[in-house]
Amino acid sequence: MLKQIFTNTLHLFYPAFCLGCGSDLVNKNQLLCLQCIISLPHTGFEKMPENPVEKIFRGRVNIKAAHSEFYFSKGQVIQQLIHQLKYKGNQEAGIYLGKIMADKLLAVPYFADIDYLVPLPMFPAKEFKRGYNQATIICNGMSEVMNIPVSVNNIVRRHATETQTRKHRTERWENVADSFQVNFPALLEGKHILLVDDVLTTGATLEACCLAMAAIPGISVSLATLAIASK
């Protein structure tokens, strides 16, 4: 009883706000209100062989499985959360979303034998400026649920690239071709890697990273992104 009174009093003076709609939350430990949680646009792709994400990469790179957890649309809750993660320093948003995606993947046989979670690398100068790689934060949340280690600094970005915004598919590919390097390929031999990023658009950057790993003996690569851009 006293604990509940203390919690209610604390909430009165230090209210928590939903990252999606800004409403006052009853439980400050939640990032989203119930309405925003219900409105999250899950794709259900994890249950679909030959899902739209896999079709994007078909014939481009050899992958075992692919998934995007949410549809991304401007002005929606997912955009708000990813914006908080990438530009507002809110790493908790990435952890939260990573856990949601991991819960879905745990029940899928295609993702049952993952050895390493690999965040899509950022160019070091850009990561230093932001303070972190948002893909690593997502992986950290996934790791808490899946109990799979996160591999960083093995696959690296060799040079800076221009922003992919407003580039069409060919320009995006030319922008990122040969951008990635594997420092210790022997550590990935015979392993199943889950390459993770925030939003999937054309897939050019993920494709380039997959190609950097293609020559590693026995490697299997799967892909997972928090969201896929709605068309």
Side-chain angles (χ1 to χ4, degrees), residues 18-34:
C18 174
L19 288 183
C21 66
S23 65
D24 186 14
L25 295 175
V26 174
N27 185 350
K28 74 168 191 173
N29 294 319
Q30 294 292 330
L31 295 185
L32 297 177
C33 66
L34 182 59

Side-chain angles (χ1 to χ4, degrees), residues 8-223:
N8 291 339
T9 302
L10 190 65
H11 179 71
L12 178 64
F13 290 100
Y14 301 98
F17 296 94
C18 174
L19 288 183
C21 66
S23 65
D24 186 14
L25 295 175
V26 174
N27 185 350
K28 74 168 191 173
N29 294 319
Q30 294 292 330
L31 295 185
L32 297 177
C33 66
L34 182 59
Q35 183 175 350
C36 283
I37 292 173
I38 293 172
S39 72
L40 287 173
H42 295 276
T43 63
F45 289 167
E46 76 280 1
K47 303 173 184 176
M48 299 168 52
E50 296 296 310
N51 66 53
V53 183
E54 293 182 6
K55 290 179 180 179
I56 288 175
F57 294 94
R58 182 188 295 156
R60 294 164 60 179
V61 287
N62 184 21
I63 57 172
K64 183 174 182 180
H67 172 65
S68 292
E69 183 59 34
F70 305 103
Y71 292 106
F72 182 96
S73 297
K74 290 184 177 181
Q76 301 301 311
V77 173
I78 286 300
Q79 184 195 26
Q80 297 292 337
L81 290 172
I82 293 177
H83 184 82
Q84 284 282 328
L85 169 63
K86 294 179 70 171
Y87 306 115
K88 299 297 183 180
N90 194 336
Q91 298 183 37
E92 189 177 1
I95 295 291
Y96 177 77
L97 292 172
K99 288 180 177 180
I100 292 176
M101 182 160 64
D103 277 328
K104 296 296 183 69
L105 296 184
L106 276 177
V108 182
Y110 307 123
F111 299 95
D113 62 344
I114 300 293
D115 294 295
Y116 293 112
L117 301 171
V118 176
L120 186 73
M122 293 177 68
F123 186 64
K126 186 174 182 180
E127 183 173 346
F128 178 80
K129 183 178 180 179
R130 179 168 294 172
Y132 55 88
N133 178 356
Q134 69 271 9
T136 301
I137 304 304
I138 297 165
C139 284
N140 289 343
M142 296 177 71
S143 180
E144 288 187 33
V145 173
M146 303 177 80
N147 196 30
I148 297 172
V150 180
S151 175
V152 295
N153 300 325
N154 188 353
I155 303 172
V156 296
R157 210 149 186 161
R158 299 169 56 190
H159 53 77
T161 54
E162 299 175 5
T163 178
Q164 297 281 63
T165 306
R166 298 188 179 91
K167 292 182 182 294
H168 59 64
R169 178 173 169 177
T170 301
E171 289 175 329
R172 285 173 180 254
W173 171 248
E174 292 173 348
N175 189 41
V176 297
D178 300 319
S179 293
F180 299 95
Q181 173 181 307
V182 183
N183 287 330
F184 308 103
L187 295 179
L188 302 181
E189 289 184 8
K191 303 298 184 183
H192 185 186
I193 305 305
L194 183 61
L195 184 61
V196 177
D197 198 15
D198 51 4
V199 181
L200 172 63
T201 49
T202 65
T205 309
L206 287 167
E207 178 183 353
C209 192
C210 288
L211 289 174
M213 295 184 281
I216 299 175
I219 194 171
S220 297
V221 179
S222 292
L223 308 174

